[in-house]
Amino acid sequence: MSSLLSVNNLKVQFSTRKTFVTAVDDFSLTINPGESVGLVGESGCGKTTTGLAVMRLLPGNGKIAAGSVVLDGVDMATLSEAEMQKQRGRTVALIPQDPMSSLNPTMRIGRQIGEGLRIHHGATEAEARKRALEVLDMVEMPRPAERLDQYPFELSGGLRQRVIIAMGLVCEPKLLIADEPTTALDVTIQAQILDIIDSLRTQLNMGVLLITHDMGVIAGRTDRVVVMYGGKKAEEAPTVDLFRTMRHPYAQALLASMPNLENTSKHELASIAGLPPDLTKEIVGCRFAPRCAYATDRCLIEEPPLTMQGERAYACFHPVEGPKPVVVRVAETVAAASGAPRKELLRVEGLVKEFAVKAGFIRHKVGSISAVSNVNFAIYEGETFGLVGESGCGKTTIGRMVVGLEGPTAGQVVFDGKVVSAKNHRPSRADRRERQMMFQDPYSSLNPRMKVAQILGEPLMVQGDGSKAQQKDRVKQLLLSVGLEPSAADRYPHEFSGGQRQRIGFARALALNPRLIVADEPVSALDVSIQAQILNLMKDLQREHNLSYIMVSHDLAVVYYMADSIGVMYLGKIVEIGDAESVFRSPAHPYTQGLLDAVPVPDPIEAHARRGLQVTGELPSPVNPPSGCRFRTRCPRAQDICANQEPVFQDFGPDQQAACHFPLKTPVALGARTA
């Protein structure tokens, strides 16, 4: 089969004030018609730069310094900008990582999708609109005709991603480049988007380049995998072969860094020490050697050549055999390790939160959003409670009420036997110091105009903790505790990587020696290797300080690794709750099982077996939630009673309850609690 895309000895450079930085070096890649190739590696390894080079969309200071990019017989590297504009959208299309920043907020969806057809094929407005409706139907957009006249801000993240895919497909390109297309999406929506890309690839015989840092995503979605490190190819092999017998230590380490629901016990995650190489400096020897457990003196002075072995290629002097063994140190809580009795730290009772929906010139109330509805749970000292569910189900709202950033409409939060949050109750600063928040996006939650010393010292100053000298010492201790050098205190947030900024956010949460930290999606945007470092750090500090966590996440593998008990939320309600092992190994609620089935599995065979098992459809509006069971509109087991009667919690074990009329297993007793 002749190649659709053939990238040969590609070199991409960026100019700086002093020199050129080589971001991609001597890189080659082929993709055949109808084939999906995964390009995997950490941030900064050159994956996105390679995709942008194929599209000729490099920034102004970037250029293709050497090599060729032959797509369907045409060398894209030699085309003028005017000629290249005729290729983009028609021959090759891009799905960017963030759909909101790529969509025009002032243009309706239908017109944006049809724009490519008008430009490349001279279609009329009517023809472009008709085609836009067709491709929206192809990408399984709910109510596609209705979406044509909507604006991007009116759609959820998953629907906006469907619009971006539709825009890419409107002219039926031969190659689709998907750059981290599901990074910020819920596991259920992620699975739907990847299913759509797979289906369209087969239907249109289209080549796909899937760029990601998630080994679980590529396992079930690609035919071949290219592992990239420091701008160069580290390993390439058919997907099944790579996961079965990987040769490069970097590929092995990426896989070992992933939290995995298939593990029979919670072992510490194997993280990759250090960071990818600084490409602004001259690199001698193997680029992975400073982080490699197998490196020898030869690796530090000599660059390994690309070795061919059948359909596999790898660049390593000391190739490994298969996946890395699981680290033997078991992750455990302080209470479990010491055998101490459990002491209740936090209790949430009948928590309700509604937000008013206002309209009109005078902004009068026309409805309300039921964000949280009658939620109950308890957390014990030194333990972690995981809150899982799709975006919009109320997880973050609960976390904000627990730390006092939001007040409940009804119900109360009891901390260490004292009511700290209830209607018309305003907690004092002193009340809040023992309950802190670790935010999802550390960059937006860290003041860009303040140095790290000021950021970490601010809560100490506000609370009047110690003298200036003592506060300075405390800042130094905090940085050391999260694995950063004290010199980091004199730098600004933008001078750090994403993982380092998350460590700073963690340090700020620890500043006042809290007893409870609400961690809101703390690793959702991080590479798997950096994610493993942060999660291991959180576990270590939990053991050291007897911390309790509320772990808010849509990533069930992360929650399973961290949590002792789990609450599964759907549209403002907890539908299943219990100890982590019971909920994950033997779920009772269909929604919990659907979430588990949607988790990417780093095993190609298992990933293919799970296709089509995840939750489908769109989350209903919280303004007008379904009657009876809120999950019934997406539940494969729903019957008439589900629409007319709200299910009550039933017991499925000593510490597992779920609210479902048709559970996945037989209850041991019927409780009287309402869901």
Side-chain angles (χ1 to χ4, degrees):
M1 182 185 296
S2 59
S3 298
L4 170 65
L5 174 71
S6 181
V7 177
N8 298 296
N9 308 114
L10 179 67
K11 177 181 282 189
V12 178
Q13 292 183 327
F14 292 93
S15 60
T16 65
R17 291 182 179 181
K18 296 181 179 180
T19 184
F20 284 98
V21 176
T22 302
V24 178
D25 190 11
D26 194 25
F27 182 79
S28 298
L29 170 75
T30 61
I31 300 178
N32 298 320
E35 184 182 33
S36 176
V37 175
L39 187 57
V40 67
E42 296 168 283
S43 297
C45 286
K47 310 184 304 297
T48 295
T49 300
T50 300
L52 293 177
V54 173
M55 294 285 295
R56 290 279 303 279
L57 288 174
L58 293 168
N61 66 331
K63 67 175 184 178
I64 296 177
S68 61
V69 181
V70 180
L71 177 60
D72 199 28
V74 178
D75 189 352
M76 315 289 268
T78 63
L79 298 182
S80 67
E81 179 58 27
E83 292 171 324
M84 194 62 214
Q85 287 178 3
K86 297 177 183 179
Q87 299 291 332
R88 296 190 196 108
R90 187 176 67 179
T91 308
V92 56
L94 174 69
I95 301 176
Q97 182 171 351
D98 181 9
M100 193 59 184
S101 64
S102 305
L103 293 171
N104 188 331
T106 66
M107 188 183 294
R108 297 181 191 273
I109 295 301
R111 184 165 177 77
Q112 288 195 60
I113 295 174
E115 188 175 36
L117 205 66
R118 295 193 302 273
I119 292 172
H120 292 298
H121 298 288
T124 65
E125 289 286 343
E127 291 170 336
R129 185 178 175 87
K130 180 181 178 181
R131 176 60 177 162
L133 182 60
E134 290 176 0
V135 291
L136 281 179
D137 190 55
M138 287 173 63
V139 300
E140 301 177 17
M141 174 71 80
R143 306 188 301 279
E146 179 185 321
R147 309 297 182 186
L148 292 175
D149 294 315
Q150 291 184 318
Y151 291 95
F153 71 86
E154 298 181 85
L155 305 180
S156 66
L159 296 187
R160 286 197 293 265
Q161 197 65 282
R162 283 173 164 81
V163 171
I164 286 289
I165 297 174
M167 290 175 65
L169 295 175
V170 71
C171 294
E172 297 190 358
K174 297 180 179 179
L175 175 67
L176 185 67
I177 300 175
D179 184 10
E180 301 276 13
T182 59
T183 295
L185 300 179
D186 297 325
V187 288
T188 53
I189 305 302
Q190 172 179 275
Q192 292 176 35
I193 295 298
L194 293 173
D195 281 344
I196 289 169
I197 294 174
D198 268 349
S199 174
L200 293 171
R201 170 170 67 97
T202 304
Q203 181 180 337
L204 303 175
N205 197 33
M206 177 176 63
V208 172
L209 177 62
L210 181 58
I211 298 172
T212 182
H213 64 258
D214 191 332
M215 297 288 278
V217 167
I218 65 169
R221 308 291 176 172
T222 60
D223 302 301
R224 281 188 296 119
V225 181
V226 177
V227 181
M228 198 169 185
Y229 185 78
K232 296 181 76 73
K233 182 186 294 185
E235 184 167 2
E236 179 179 4
T239 303
V240 174
D241 292 347
L242 181 88
F243 280 85
R244 185 181 299 152
T245 56
M246 50 190 57
R247 291 287 181 261
H248 201 285
Y250 179 59
Q252 184 188 64
L254 282 178
L255 183 60
S257 298
M258 288 190 63
N260 189 350
L261 290 175
E262 302 305 307
N263 290 341
T264 56
S265 60
K266 298 182 183 182
H267 294 283
E268 180 177 296
L269 299 176
S271 61
I272 310 174
L275 296 170
D278 183 353
L279 299 179
T280 63
K281 300 177 182 178
E282 182 182 2
I283 300 174
V284 179
C286 174
R287 301 184 175 209
F288 187 59
R291 307 172 72 190
C292 182
Y294 306 95
T296 60
D297 291 343
R298 182 187 183 189
C299 304
L300 299 174
I301 59 175
E302 185 180 341
E303 183 175 358
L306 202 62
T307 302
M308 301 300 298
Q309 190 180 67
E311 295 184 89
R312 181 191 300 275
Y314 58 90
C316 184
F317 292 125
H318 309 289
V320 295
E321 291 285 342
K324 190 172 184 177
V326 178
V327 179
V328 297
R329 182 175 142 194
V330 178
E332 57 188 7
T333 64
V334 174
S338 63
R342 301 167 80 200
K343 177 185 176 183
E344 185 179 278
L345 179 67
L346 179 96
R347 187 170 71 256
V348 167
E349 299 175 339
L351 209 59
V352 175
K353 182 63 179 179
E354 294 181 350
F355 295 96
V357 178
K358 298 182 179 181
F361 181 74
I362 61 172
R363 307 299 294 166
H364 62 284
K365 182 178 178 179
V366 295
S368 62
I369 296 175
S370 177
V372 177
S373 180
N374 192 29
V375 167
N376 302 274
F377 62 84
I379 303 174
Y380 297 87
E381 280 192 343
E383 296 190 3
T384 299
F385 180 75
L387 267 179
V388 301
E390 296 167 286
S391 297
C393 71
K395 308 184 302 295
T396 296
T397 302
I398 288 178
R400 291 176 65 84
M401 286 190 284
V402 166
V403 299
L405 293 177
E406 296 278 358
T409 305
Q412 61 185 16
V413 177
V414 181
F415 184 81
D416 200 18
K418 177 184 176 182
V419 175
V420 294
S421 185
K423 190 175 182 180
N424 301 322
H425 176 88
R426 293 179 62 85
S428 65
R429 283 179 175 172
D431 286 338
R432 290 176 176 169
R433 64 178 297 149
E434 292 190 317
R435 294 166 288 129
Q436 295 294 317
M437 191 107 178
M438 188 175 173
F439 295 94
Q440 178 174 358
D441 182 1
Y443 193 67
S444 64
S445 62
L446 299 175
N447 191 327
R449 296 178 179 86
M450 294 172 66
K451 291 184 178 180
V452 169
Q454 296 170 288
I455 291 171
L456 300 184
E458 187 177 39
L460 300 172
M461 182 182 65
V462 169
Q463 295 283 349
D465 276 16
S467 64
K468 287 187 177 181
Q470 290 172 326
Q471 291 174 6
K472 186 176 180 179
D473 287 342
R474 176 62 177 155
V475 168
K476 180 180 178 180
Q477 293 169 7
L478 287 168
L479 289 171
L480 290 171
S481 70
V482 297
L484 294 175
E485 292 295 326
S487 59
D490 294 323
R491 294 158 62 188
Y492 291 94
H494 69 84
E495 298 180 78
F496 297 90
S497 68
Q500 289 171 323
R501 284 197 292 266
Q502 195 60 278
R503 289 172 185 262
I504 294 167
F506 192 18
R508 184 177 61 180
L510 292 168
L512 297 173
N513 293 314
R515 298 169 65 189
L516 173 71
I517 292 178
V518 176
D520 185 10
E521 300 277 10
V523 295
S524 62
L526 301 179
D527 293 328
V528 289
S529 57
I530 306 301
Q531 171 182 285
Q533 293 176 19
I534 298 297
L535 294 177
N536 286 339
L537 174 64
M538 291 178 69
K539 277 285 190 183
D540 288 341
L541 290 176
Q542 181 177 45
R543 284 187 285 266
E544 183 179 341
H545 299 289
N546 199 26
L547 283 170
S548 297
Y549 294 122
I550 296 180
M551 190 76 177
V552 175
S553 181
H554 65 259
D555 189 330
L556 275 75
V558 167
V559 171
Y560 172 67
Y561 170 70
M562 290 291 297
D564 302 283
S565 55
I566 303 283
V568 181
M569 288 197 71
Y570 184 80
L571 209 63
K573 285 182 169 289
I574 286 185
V575 297
E576 183 164 0
I577 192 167
D579 69 276
E581 288 297 327
S582 298
V583 171
F584 279 95
R585 298 302 175 194
S586 181
H589 200 284
Y591 180 59
T592 307
Q593 185 64 61
L595 290 178
L596 290 169
D597 289 336
V599 176
V601 180
D603 181 330
I605 297 174
E606 177 66 20
H608 282 284
R610 289 191 178 190
R611 288 286 183 85
L613 296 177
Q614 67 274 0
V615 176
T616 58
E618 189 179 356
L619 195 72
S621 170
V623 177
N624 186 27
S627 61
C629 174
R630 297 188 176 191
F631 183 59
R632 65 177 174 80
T633 57
R634 302 169 74 191
C635 181
R637 304 166 74 90
Q639 298 183 28
D640 291 344
I641 189 176
C642 302
N644 301 319
Q645 185 176 325
E646 186 174 1
V648 296
F649 275 107
Q650 302 177 78
D651 296 318
F652 294 89
D655 191 17
Q656 183 183 13
Q657 297 85 38
C660 181
H661 292 298
F662 303 100
L664 301 177
K665 59 183 184 179
T666 304
V668 296
L670 182 65
R673 301 173 297 278
T674 303

